[in-house]
């Protein structure tokens, strides 16, 4: 089950059923099924609070993914700052809706085992995001 909640922000204009079906399709391309995944859409202050409390990071970010996966079942919590998604979209000259969906699937890709911190991993993650967005 995938749940969607918001805190301190207006809930984003996403179609929950379509988004859930898309997430399931993307997970299946990695041989994974979706278990319990919770999205929290929030503002910059909330994600900074989460980053400080759980990761001891003192900076804003667009997404934090907590991985509770078991075997081939995706379980996790995904926190997304809509403030940062919006500012990133503006800085990159991208459509807000496209950037939001890129970040939504970015968290799922992390749960599927994709990383973006090591050498060459960012490029692999971006390619995986592009592939996922193409089947949306």
């Amino acid at each position: 089950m995938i749940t969607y909640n918001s805190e301190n922000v207006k809930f984003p204009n996403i179609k929950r059923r379509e988004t859930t079906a898309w997430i399931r399709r993307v997970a299946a391309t990695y041989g994974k099924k979706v278990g319990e995944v919770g999205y929290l859409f929030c503002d910059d202050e909330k994600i900074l609070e989460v980053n400080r409390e759980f990761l001891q990071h003192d900076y804003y970010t667009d997404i934090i993914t907590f991985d509770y996966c078991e075997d081939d079942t995706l379980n996790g919590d995904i926190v997304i700052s809509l403030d940062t998604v919006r500012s990133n979209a503006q800085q990159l000259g991208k459509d807000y809706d496209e950037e939001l969906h890129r970040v939504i699937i970015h968290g799922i890709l992390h749960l599927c085992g994709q990383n973006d911190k090591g050498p060459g991993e960012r490029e692999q993650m971006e390619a995986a995001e592009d592939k996922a967005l193409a089947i949306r």
Side-chain angles (χ1 to χ4, degrees):
M1 170 187 248
I2 301 175
T3 58
Y4 305 92
N5 295 287
S6 65
E7 185 174 325
N8 301 337
V9 293
K10 182 179 174 233
F11 193 85
N13 186 22
I14 62 169
K15 296 177 179 165
R16 294 176 202 213
R17 280 195 183 116
E18 288 178 18
T19 301
T20 295
W22 171 55
I23 289 168
R24 290 182 192 284
R25 285 194 307 274
V26 171
T29 67
Y30 289 87
K32 307 287 186 181
K33 61 186 176 196
V34 176
E36 300 290 327
V37 175
Y39 280 92
L40 176 64
F41 300 104
C42 64
D43 63 0
D44 273 349
E45 293 313 308
K46 179 63 179 179
I47 207 162
L48 180 60
E49 177 186 314
V50 171
N51 218 359
R52 286 174 174 158
E53 182 177 344
F54 294 98
L55 302 175
Q56 291 71 53
H57 296 161
D58 192 24
Y59 54 82
Y60 298 102
T61 187
D62 53 354
I63 183 170
I64 298 173
T65 304
F66 295 97
D67 184 340
Y68 313 121
C69 295
E70 297 175 7
D71 302 319
D72 66 346
T73 302
L74 303 184
N75 297 299
D77 289 317
I78 299 171
V79 183
I80 295 175
S81 170
L82 297 183
D83 293 340
T84 301
V85 169
R86 182 169 280 105
S87 62
N88 286 350
Q90 290 170 347
Q91 288 176 3
L92 298 168
K94 302 267 183 169
D95 176 72
Y96 170 75
D97 185 60
E98 180 183 333
E99 185 65 14
L100 176 57
H101 282 84
R102 179 177 296 279
V103 175
I104 287 170
I105 211 62
H106 182 93
I108 295 298
L109 292 170
H110 273 307
L111 296 180
C112 288
Q114 293 289 312
N115 293 311
D116 59 0
K117 300 291 185 214
E121 289 179 340
R122 178 170 293 283
E123 294 79 9
Q124 290 174 351
M125 175 63 88
E126 288 173 2
E129 292 168 353
D130 290 342
K131 183 178 173 186
L133 287 166
I135 64 171
R136 191 171 125 216

